[in-house]
Amino acid sequence: MSTTAIGAAVLLAAVLHATWNALAHAITDKLVAVTVLSLAFVVFGAAALPWVGVPPRAGWPYLAASVGVHILYNVALMRSYRLGAFNQVYPLARGMSPWVVAIVAALVVGERLGTVGLTGVLVVSLGLGCLVFARGLPHRDELPALAAAATTGLLIATYTVLDGLGVRASGTPFAYAAWLFLLHGGVLVGWALQRRGAVLLADVRVNWRTGLAAGSCAVVAYGIVLWAQSRGTLATVAALRETSVIVGAVIGAVVFKEPFGRWRTVATVVVATGIALLNFGG
């Protein structure tokens, strides 16, 4: 399959990714958000098992490690959303991933991009970084939110590399995805119930439609990404996926009434330039 077709699929995943993050952000109680999302992961993962089966043994070490990282990522993400504005923490969390993945993939996997492709990754990351400072330099009271978002970004880069290696080792991206969602979703549901018990279930019933919608978008989006990682370079897929930040900026402006402004316009142009470079050099 051509690089352009893979890129188009990942860009669709980026739109779905921004959508599910916005839906999760809209749920005020972040523990409820984690729970409804995780229940959706369990449902979709379990429903897929009869069709996709079990990944080969070679993929399980990566899968087990990724489950642990995904659990930490979900907790860090919801902490970021509790502390900060969507249009500030989301770009930072997602914008860190492409260049970290590019470095790790080069060092660990020996997967090196050409000059044009590497430039594309850096340009996309620069554009995403512009969104973080769209409202000016952060104030001291914003630092906890930015620290949580930066931690989230490092966790994103970690599971991106683990899952890229995992789907290549197993050769079954959809089986890998189903078990990933089932396992880490199940652990998160158990953790949430342990924290709040039966009281949590009442809040889940109120928000289950939003959670189902968000979970559906998340499952399809990451399924596409895992499939793309089995066919394209990890850094290129990571950079294209994180263009979801531009979609997130639009959602933040339209839905959450957060100003778009000049810097977000500049960031959009920069990211679009980076995508064009990736298409030619990824």
mmCIF file of all heavy atoms in Angstrom, residues 68-113:
data_model
loop_
_atom_site.group_PDB
_atom_site.id
_atom_site.type_symbol
_atom_site.label_atom_id
_atom_site.label_comp_id
_atom_site.label_asym_id
_atom_site.label_seq_id
_atom_site.Cartn_x
_atom_site.Cartn_y
_atom_site.Cartn_z
ATOM 1 N N GLY A 68 0.593 -1.780 30.852
ATOM 2 C CA GLY A 68 0.999 -0.995 32.021
ATOM 3 C C GLY A 68 1.186 0.472 31.694
ATOM 4 O O GLY A 68 0.741 1.357 32.445
ATOM 5 N N VAL A 69 1.816 0.764 30.556
ATOM 6 C CA VAL A 69 2.048 2.156 30.164
ATOM 7 C C VAL A 69 0.724 2.843 29.832
ATOM 8 O O VAL A 69 0.515 4.021 30.185
ATOM 9 C CB VAL A 69 3.027 2.229 28.980
ATOM 10 C CG1 VAL A 69 3.179 3.676 28.502
ATOM 11 C CG2 VAL A 69 4.383 1.668 29.373
ATOM 12 N N HIS A 70 -0.190 2.150 29.153
ATOM 13 C CA HIS A 70 -1.487 2.737 28.828
ATOM 14 C C HIS A 70 -2.279 3.093 30.088
ATOM 15 O O HIS A 70 -2.996 4.101 30.112
ATOM 16 C CB HIS A 70 -2.308 1.776 27.967
ATOM 17 C CG HIS A 70 -2.131 1.987 26.499
ATOM 18 N ND1 HIS A 70 -1.119 1.382 25.789
ATOM 19 C CD2 HIS A 70 -2.814 2.749 25.599
ATOM 20 C CE1 HIS A 70 -1.196 1.744 24.520
ATOM 21 N NE2 HIS A 70 -2.212 2.583 24.379
ATOM 22 N N ILE A 71 -2.177 2.272 31.114
ATOM 23 C CA ILE A 71 -2.871 2.577 32.374
ATOM 24 C C ILE A 71 -2.329 3.878 32.963
ATOM 25 O O ILE A 71 -3.093 4.770 33.356
ATOM 26 C CB ILE A 71 -2.709 1.405 33.363
ATOM 27 C CG1 ILE A 71 -3.506 0.193 32.863
ATOM 28 C CG2 ILE A 71 -3.173 1.809 34.764
ATOM 29 C CD1 ILE A 71 -3.186 -1.082 33.591
ATOM 30 N N LEU A 72 -0.999 3.998 33.018
ATOM 31 C CA LEU A 72 -0.394 5.233 33.523
ATOM 32 C C LEU A 72 -0.765 6.422 32.653
ATOM 33 O O LEU A 72 -1.030 7.524 33.151
ATOM 34 C CB LEU A 72 1.120 5.070 33.582
ATOM 35 C CG LEU A 72 1.670 4.018 34.560
ATOM 36 C CD1 LEU A 72 3.176 3.883 34.398
ATOM 37 C CD2 LEU A 72 1.305 4.376 35.996
ATOM 38 N N TYR A 73 -0.804 6.215 31.331
ATOM 39 C CA TYR A 73 -1.161 7.286 30.393
ATOM 40 C C TYR A 73 -2.571 7.796 30.646
ATOM 41 O O TYR A 73 -2.806 9.022 30.677
ATOM 42 C CB TYR A 73 -1.025 6.762 28.966
ATOM 43 C CG TYR A 73 -1.912 7.453 27.956
ATOM 44 C CD1 TYR A 73 -1.637 8.750 27.518
ATOM 45 C CD2 TYR A 73 -3.032 6.812 27.432
ATOM 46 C CE1 TYR A 73 -2.453 9.384 26.590
ATOM 47 C CE2 TYR A 73 -3.850 7.436 26.505
ATOM 48 C CZ TYR A 73 -3.560 8.721 26.097
ATOM 49 O OH TYR A 73 -4.382 9.336 25.183
ATOM 50 N N ASN A 74 -3.535 6.896 30.823
ATOM 51 C CA ASN A 74 -4.917 7.331 31.058
ATOM 52 C C ASN A 74 -5.043 8.130 32.345
ATOM 53 O O ASN A 74 -5.759 9.139 32.392
ATOM 54 C CB ASN A 74 -5.850 6.114 31.094
ATOM 55 C CG ASN A 74 -6.278 5.668 29.716
ATOM 56 O OD1 ASN A 74 -7.225 6.181 29.138
ATOM 57 N ND2 ASN A 74 -5.558 4.692 29.168
ATOM 58 N N VAL A 75 -4.351 7.696 33.381
ATOM 59 C CA VAL A 75 -4.394 8.424 34.653
ATOM 60 C C VAL A 75 -3.764 9.808 34.490
ATOM 61 O O VAL A 75 -4.310 10.824 34.948
ATOM 62 C CB VAL A 75 -3.667 7.622 35.755
ATOM 63 C CG1 VAL A 75 -3.580 8.439 37.039
ATOM 64 C CG2 VAL A 75 -4.405 6.308 36.024
ATOM 65 N N ALA A 76 -2.601 9.875 33.823
ATOM 66 C CA ALA A 76 -1.923 11.158 33.615
ATOM 67 C C ALA A 76 -2.741 12.082 32.720
ATOM 68 O O ALA A 76 -2.804 13.298 32.956
ATOM 69 C CB ALA A 76 -0.540 10.918 33.001
ATOM 70 N N LEU A 77 -3.386 11.523 31.698
ATOM 71 C CA LEU A 77 -4.191 12.336 30.784
ATOM 72 C C LEU A 77 -5.352 12.993 31.514
ATOM 73 O O LEU A 77 -5.616 14.195 31.358
ATOM 74 C CB LEU A 77 -4.709 11.464 29.641
ATOM 75 C CG LEU A 77 -5.600 12.169 28.614
ATOM 76 C CD1 LEU A 77 -4.798 13.202 27.829
ATOM 77 C CD2 LEU A 77 -6.233 11.138 27.675
ATOM 78 N N MET A 78 -6.063 12.210 32.313
ATOM 79 C CA MET A 78 -7.212 12.763 33.021
ATOM 80 C C MET A 78 -6.778 13.767 34.087
ATOM 81 O O MET A 78 -7.492 14.730 34.371
ATOM 82 C CB MET A 78 -8.048 11.640 33.640
ATOM 83 C CG MET A 78 -8.727 10.770 32.595
ATOM 84 S SD MET A 78 -9.710 11.750 31.417
ATOM 85 C CE MET A 78 -9.798 10.644 30.011
ATOM 86 N N ARG A 79 -5.606 13.564 34.669
ATOM 87 C CA ARG A 79 -5.070 14.566 35.604
ATOM 88 C C ARG A 79 -4.786 15.868 34.851
ATOM 89 O O ARG A 79 -5.071 16.961 35.349
ATOM 90 C CB ARG A 79 -3.802 14.044 36.268
ATOM 91 C CG ARG A 79 -3.120 15.081 37.166
ATOM 92 C CD ARG A 79 -1.937 14.481 37.919
ATOM 93 N NE ARG A 79 -1.175 15.517 38.586
ATOM 94 C CZ ARG A 79 -1.509 16.095 39.722
ATOM 95 N NH1 ARG A 79 -2.612 15.743 40.342
ATOM 96 N NH2 ARG A 79 -0.750 17.027 40.271
ATOM 97 N N SER A 80 -4.227 15.767 33.641
ATOM 98 C CA SER A 80 -3.958 16.957 32.830
ATOM 99 C C SER A 80 -5.244 17.716 32.551
ATOM 100 O O SER A 80 -5.300 18.947 32.657
ATOM 101 C CB SER A 80 -3.310 16.553 31.502
ATOM 102 O OG SER A 80 -2.086 15.896 31.712
ATOM 103 N N TYR A 81 -6.310 16.981 32.189
ATOM 104 C CA TYR A 81 -7.584 17.618 31.865
ATOM 105 C C TYR A 81 -8.248 18.221 33.101
ATOM 106 O O TYR A 81 -8.977 19.205 33.004
ATOM 107 C CB TYR A 81 -8.529 16.602 31.214
ATOM 108 C CG TYR A 81 -8.151 16.253 29.788
ATOM 109 C CD1 TYR A 81 -8.648 15.116 29.177
ATOM 110 C CD2 TYR A 81 -7.296 17.072 29.054
ATOM 111 C CE1 TYR A 81 -8.314 14.795 27.873
ATOM 112 C CE2 TYR A 81 -6.952 16.765 27.763
ATOM 113 C CZ TYR A 81 -7.466 15.619 27.176
ATOM 114 O OH TYR A 81 -7.136 15.310 25.879
ATOM 115 N N ARG A 82 -7.978 17.640 34.258
ATOM 116 C CA ARG A 82 -8.544 18.200 35.481
ATOM 117 C C ARG A 82 -7.851 19.499 35.866
ATOM 118 O O ARG A 82 -8.464 20.417 36.413
ATOM 119 C CB ARG A 82 -8.423 17.188 36.627
ATOM 120 C CG ARG A 82 -9.187 17.602 37.891
ATOM 121 C CD ARG A 82 -9.156 16.548 38.977
ATOM 122 N NE ARG A 82 -7.845 16.415 39.595
ATOM 123 C CZ ARG A 82 -7.040 15.375 39.461
ATOM 124 N NH1 ARG A 82 -7.389 14.353 38.708
ATOM 125 N NH2 ARG A 82 -5.866 15.331 40.070
ATOM 126 N N LEU A 83 -6.565 19.618 35.533
ATOM 127 C CA LEU A 83 -5.785 20.774 35.970
ATOM 128 C C LEU A 83 -5.747 21.917 34.962
ATOM 129 O O LEU A 83 -5.563 23.079 35.355
ATOM 130 C CB LEU A 83 -4.345 20.340 36.276
ATOM 131 C CG LEU A 83 -4.138 19.383 37.449
ATOM 132 C CD1 LEU A 83 -2.688 18.945 37.515
ATOM 133 C CD2 LEU A 83 -4.563 20.031 38.758
ATOM 134 N N GLY A 84 -5.863 21.606 33.666
ATOM 135 C CA GLY A 84 -5.631 22.640 32.663
ATOM 136 C C GLY A 84 -6.677 22.706 31.578
ATOM 137 O O GLY A 84 -7.566 21.860 31.484
ATOM 138 N N ALA A 85 -6.564 23.731 30.737
ATOM 139 C CA ALA A 85 -7.467 23.932 29.607
ATOM 140 C C ALA A 85 -7.139 22.928 28.505
ATOM 141 O O ALA A 85 -5.976 22.596 28.268
ATOM 142 C CB ALA A 85 -7.336 25.353 29.069
ATOM 143 N N PHE A 86 -8.154 22.464 27.829
ATOM 144 C CA PHE A 86 -8.002 21.466 26.770
ATOM 145 C C PHE A 86 -7.019 21.931 25.703
ATOM 146 O O PHE A 86 -6.142 21.181 25.264
ATOM 147 C CB PHE A 86 -9.381 21.193 26.143
ATOM 148 C CG PHE A 86 -9.365 20.187 25.028
ATOM 149 C CD1 PHE A 86 -9.199 18.841 25.305
ATOM 150 C CD2 PHE A 86 -9.524 20.575 23.712
ATOM 151 C CE1 PHE A 86 -9.184 17.894 24.285
ATOM 152 C CE2 PHE A 86 -9.512 19.648 22.674
ATOM 153 C CZ PHE A 86 -9.350 18.301 22.969
ATOM 154 N N ASN A 87 -7.135 23.193 25.279
ATOM 155 C CA ASN A 87 -6.317 23.701 24.184
ATOM 156 C C ASN A 87 -4.868 23.953 24.574
ATOM 157 O O ASN A 87 -4.060 24.331 23.719
ATOM 158 C CB ASN A 87 -6.917 25.002 23.633
ATOM 159 C CG ASN A 87 -7.636 24.769 22.322
ATOM 160 O OD1 ASN A 87 -7.443 23.754 21.681
ATOM 161 N ND2 ASN A 87 -8.470 25.708 21.920
ATOM 162 N N GLN A 88 -4.527 23.765 25.845
ATOM 163 C CA GLN A 88 -3.136 23.933 26.249
ATOM 164 C C GLN A 88 -2.487 22.594 26.587
ATOM 165 O O GLN A 88 -1.379 22.301 26.123
ATOM 166 C CB GLN A 88 -3.018 24.890 27.441
ATOM 167 C CG GLN A 88 -1.570 25.265 27.758
ATOM 168 C CD GLN A 88 -1.484 26.405 28.750
ATOM 169 O OE1 GLN A 88 -2.247 26.464 29.697
ATOM 170 N NE2 GLN A 88 -0.551 27.319 28.537
ATOM 171 N N VAL A 89 -3.160 21.764 27.375
ATOM 172 C CA VAL A 89 -2.540 20.505 27.782
ATOM 173 C C VAL A 89 -2.538 19.473 26.657
ATOM 174 O O VAL A 89 -1.594 18.686 26.507
ATOM 175 C CB VAL A 89 -3.209 19.932 29.045
ATOM 176 C CG1 VAL A 89 -3.051 20.884 30.207
ATOM 177 C CG2 VAL A 89 -4.677 19.598 28.823
ATOM 178 N N TYR A 90 -3.585 19.455 25.833
ATOM 179 C CA TYR A 90 -3.658 18.472 24.753
ATOM 180 C C TYR A 90 -2.524 18.655 23.735
ATOM 181 O O TYR A 90 -1.846 17.680 23.372
ATOM 182 C CB TYR A 90 -5.031 18.538 24.082
ATOM 183 C CG TYR A 90 -5.259 17.507 23.004
ATOM 184 C CD1 TYR A 90 -5.312 16.148 23.300
ATOM 185 C CD2 TYR A 90 -5.426 17.887 21.673
ATOM 186 C CE1 TYR A 90 -5.524 15.205 22.317
ATOM 187 C CE2 TYR A 90 -5.642 16.954 20.680
ATOM 188 C CZ TYR A 90 -5.694 15.614 21.009
ATOM 189 O OH TYR A 90 -5.904 14.683 20.024
ATOM 190 N N PRO A 91 -2.248 19.882 23.265
ATOM 191 C CA PRO A 91 -1.129 20.039 22.321
ATOM 192 C C PRO A 91 0.217 19.643 22.898
ATOM 193 O O PRO A 91 1.058 19.073 22.196
ATOM 194 C CB PRO A 91 -1.153 21.536 21.985
ATOM 195 C CG PRO A 91 -2.541 21.971 22.271
ATOM 196 C CD PRO A 91 -2.985 21.146 23.440
ATOM 197 N N LEU A 92 0.460 19.950 24.173
ATOM 198 C CA LEU A 92 1.745 19.606 24.770
ATOM 199 C C LEU A 92 1.885 18.089 24.885
ATOM 200 O O LEU A 92 2.932 17.519 24.538
ATOM 201 C CB LEU A 92 1.878 20.257 26.150
ATOM 202 C CG LEU A 92 3.163 19.922 26.919
ATOM 203 C CD1 LEU A 92 4.393 20.320 26.103
ATOM 204 C CD2 LEU A 92 3.173 20.629 28.270
ATOM 205 N N ALA A 93 0.836 17.431 25.363
ATOM 206 C CA ALA A 93 0.890 15.982 25.528
ATOM 207 C C ALA A 93 1.138 15.279 24.198
ATOM 208 O O ALA A 93 1.968 14.372 24.089
ATOM 209 C CB ALA A 93 -0.409 15.473 26.152
ATOM 210 N N ARG A 94 0.433 15.713 23.173
ATOM 211 C CA ARG A 94 0.570 15.063 21.869
ATOM 212 C C ARG A 94 1.810 15.538 21.110
ATOM 213 O O ARG A 94 2.401 14.769 20.336
ATOM 214 C CB ARG A 94 -0.668 15.318 21.018
ATOM 215 C CG ARG A 94 -1.991 14.988 21.632
ATOM 216 C CD ARG A 94 -2.110 13.615 22.237
ATOM 217 N NE ARG A 94 -1.743 12.511 21.347
ATOM 218 C CZ ARG A 94 -1.917 11.243 21.669
ATOM 219 N NH1 ARG A 94 -2.427 10.904 22.837
ATOM 220 N NH2 ARG A 94 -1.552 10.293 20.830
ATOM 221 N N GLY A 95 2.205 16.792 21.310
ATOM 222 C CA GLY A 95 3.308 17.351 20.540
ATOM 223 C C GLY A 95 4.673 16.797 20.918
ATOM 224 O O GLY A 95 5.613 16.856 20.124
ATOM 225 N N MET A 96 4.804 16.253 22.128
ATOM 226 C CA MET A 96 6.087 15.692 22.538
ATOM 227 C C MET A 96 6.388 14.376 21.839
ATOM 228 O O MET A 96 7.552 14.003 21.649
ATOM 229 C CB MET A 96 6.099 15.473 24.051
ATOM 230 C CG MET A 96 6.142 16.728 24.879
ATOM 231 S SD MET A 96 6.362 16.355 26.622
ATOM 232 C CE MET A 96 7.985 15.598 26.627
ATOM 233 N N SER A 97 5.342 13.652 21.481
ATOM 234 C CA SER A 97 5.511 12.280 21.017
ATOM 235 C C SER A 97 6.334 12.113 19.742
ATOM 236 O O SER A 97 7.237 11.268 19.705
ATOM 237 C CB SER A 97 4.132 11.629 20.845
ATOM 238 O OG SER A 97 4.233 10.355 20.287
ATOM 239 N N PRO A 98 6.079 12.880 18.659
ATOM 240 C CA PRO A 98 6.758 12.554 17.397
ATOM 241 C C PRO A 98 8.279 12.580 17.465
ATOM 242 O O PRO A 98 8.951 11.664 16.972
ATOM 243 C CB PRO A 98 6.233 13.634 16.429
ATOM 244 C CG PRO A 98 4.917 14.043 16.994
ATOM 245 C CD PRO A 98 5.087 13.961 18.481
ATOM 246 N N TRP A 99 8.840 13.635 18.074
ATOM 247 C CA TRP A 99 10.300 13.709 18.074
ATOM 248 C C TRP A 99 10.923 12.718 19.054
ATOM 249 O O TRP A 99 12.014 12.193 18.817
ATOM 250 C CB TRP A 99 10.788 15.132 18.336
ATOM 251 C CG TRP A 99 10.339 15.774 19.605
ATOM 252 C CD1 TRP A 99 9.239 16.537 19.787
ATOM 253 C CD2 TRP A 99 10.988 15.710 20.881
ATOM 254 N NE1 TRP A 99 9.145 16.963 21.099
ATOM 255 C CE2 TRP A 99 10.214 16.478 21.791
ATOM 256 C CE3 TRP A 99 12.153 15.099 21.349
ATOM 257 C CZ2 TRP A 99 10.554 16.623 23.137
ATOM 258 C CZ3 TRP A 99 12.499 15.254 22.693
ATOM 259 C CH2 TRP A 99 11.697 16.009 23.555
ATOM 260 N N VAL A 100 10.223 12.423 20.168
ATOM 261 C CA VAL A 100 10.736 11.400 21.090
ATOM 262 C C VAL A 100 10.717 10.028 20.404
ATOM 263 O O VAL A 100 11.676 9.251 20.500
ATOM 264 C CB VAL A 100 9.909 11.366 22.390
ATOM 265 C CG1 VAL A 100 10.370 10.217 23.282
ATOM 266 C CG2 VAL A 100 10.035 12.688 23.141
ATOM 267 N N VAL A 101 9.630 9.737 19.695
ATOM 268 C CA VAL A 101 9.541 8.467 18.968
ATOM 269 C C VAL A 101 10.628 8.384 17.903
ATOM 270 O O VAL A 101 11.248 7.332 17.707
ATOM 271 C CB VAL A 101 8.141 8.301 18.337
ATOM 272 C CG1 VAL A 101 8.127 7.109 17.384
ATOM 273 C CG2 VAL A 101 7.084 8.126 19.419
ATOM 274 N N ALA A 102 10.876 9.493 17.193
ATOM 275 C CA ALA A 102 11.910 9.494 16.154
ATOM 276 C C ALA A 102 13.277 9.158 16.744
ATOM 277 O O ALA A 102 14.042 8.367 16.163
ATOM 278 C CB ALA A 102 11.942 10.853 15.461
ATOM 279 N N ILE A 103 13.591 9.724 17.907
ATOM 280 C CA ILE A 103 14.886 9.465 18.551
ATOM 281 C C ILE A 103 14.981 8.016 19.016
ATOM 282 O O ILE A 103 15.960 7.312 18.752
ATOM 283 C CB ILE A 103 15.095 10.430 19.734
ATOM 284 C CG1 ILE A 103 15.236 11.866 19.224
ATOM 285 C CG2 ILE A 103 16.325 10.027 20.538
ATOM 286 C CD1 ILE A 103 15.219 12.910 20.322
ATOM 287 N N VAL A 104 13.920 7.546 19.713
ATOM 288 C CA VAL A 104 13.944 6.184 20.252
ATOM 289 C C VAL A 104 13.966 5.155 19.123
ATOM 290 O O VAL A 104 14.686 4.152 19.191
ATOM 291 C CB VAL A 104 12.734 5.956 21.179
ATOM 292 C CG1 VAL A 104 12.673 4.497 21.636
ATOM 293 C CG2 VAL A 104 12.813 6.882 22.384
ATOM 294 N N ALA A 105 13.160 5.381 18.081
ATOM 295 C CA ALA A 105 13.131 4.438 16.963
ATOM 296 C C ALA A 105 14.492 4.344 16.282
ATOM 297 O O ALA A 105 14.922 3.268 15.858
ATOM 298 C CB ALA A 105 12.064 4.851 15.949
ATOM 299 N N ALA A 106 15.192 5.471 16.188
ATOM 300 C CA ALA A 106 16.534 5.461 15.580
ATOM 301 C C ALA A 106 17.527 4.704 16.457
ATOM 302 O O ALA A 106 18.356 3.923 15.954
ATOM 303 C CB ALA A 106 17.008 6.888 15.350
ATOM 304 N N LEU A 107 17.436 4.901 17.773
ATOM 305 C CA LEU A 107 18.393 4.281 18.691
ATOM 306 C C LEU A 107 18.101 2.809 18.938
ATOM 307 O O LEU A 107 19.020 1.983 19.008
ATOM 308 C CB LEU A 107 18.397 5.040 20.022
ATOM 309 C CG LEU A 107 18.906 6.483 19.987
ATOM 310 C CD1 LEU A 107 18.751 7.132 21.357
ATOM 311 C CD2 LEU A 107 20.357 6.531 19.532
ATOM 312 N N VAL A 108 16.814 2.460 19.069
ATOM 313 C CA VAL A 108 16.436 1.108 19.473
ATOM 314 C C VAL A 108 16.174 0.201 18.276
ATOM 315 O O VAL A 108 16.583 -0.964 18.250
ATOM 316 C CB VAL A 108 15.191 1.148 20.392
ATOM 317 C CG1 VAL A 108 14.723 -0.260 20.753
ATOM 318 C CG2 VAL A 108 15.494 1.950 21.652
ATOM 319 N N VAL A 109 15.464 0.722 17.284
ATOM 320 C CA VAL A 109 15.043 -0.102 16.155
ATOM 321 C C VAL A 109 15.964 0.071 14.952
ATOM 322 O O VAL A 109 15.937 -0.738 14.025
ATOM 323 C CB VAL A 109 13.578 0.254 15.749
ATOM 324 C CG1 VAL A 109 13.023 -0.743 14.751
ATOM 325 C CG2 VAL A 109 12.687 0.313 16.979
ATOM 326 N N GLY A 110 16.778 1.136 14.953
ATOM 327 C CA GLY A 110 17.603 1.425 13.791
ATOM 328 C C GLY A 110 16.795 1.966 12.634
ATOM 329 O O GLY A 110 17.189 1.855 11.473
ATOM 330 N N GLU A 111 15.660 2.570 12.956
ATOM 331 C CA GLU A 111 14.732 3.081 11.945
ATOM 332 C C GLU A 111 14.993 4.572 11.749
ATOM 333 O O GLU A 111 14.510 5.399 12.522
ATOM 334 C CB GLU A 111 13.296 2.825 12.408
ATOM 335 C CG GLU A 111 12.237 3.115 11.380
ATOM 336 C CD GLU A 111 10.862 2.796 11.933
ATOM 337 O OE1 GLU A 111 10.424 1.648 11.802
ATOM 338 O OE2 GLU A 111 10.230 3.703 12.512
ATOM 339 N N ARG A 112 15.742 4.906 10.734
ATOM 340 C CA ARG A 112 16.147 6.295 10.521
ATOM 341 C C ARG A 112 15.411 6.891 9.328
ATOM 342 O O ARG A 112 15.356 6.284 8.261
ATOM 343 C CB ARG A 112 17.660 6.385 10.318
ATOM 344 C CG ARG A 112 18.438 6.066 11.591
ATOM 345 C CD ARG A 112 19.943 6.079 11.356
ATOM 346 N NE ARG A 112 20.665 5.941 12.613
ATOM 347 C CZ ARG A 112 20.885 4.788 13.223
ATOM 348 N NH1 ARG A 112 20.436 3.661 12.687
ATOM 349 N NH2 ARG A 112 21.535 4.738 14.368
ATOM 350 N N LEU A 113 14.865 8.064 9.545
ATOM 351 C CA LEU A 113 14.208 8.782 8.462
ATOM 352 C C LEU A 113 15.239 9.495 7.602
ATOM 353 O O LEU A 113 16.339 9.822 8.065
ATOM 354 C CB LEU A 113 13.238 9.817 9.039
ATOM 355 C CG LEU A 113 12.028 9.282 9.807
ATOM 356 C CD1 LEU A 113 11.290 10.440 10.446
ATOM 357 C CD2 LEU A 113 11.100 8.504 8.892
#
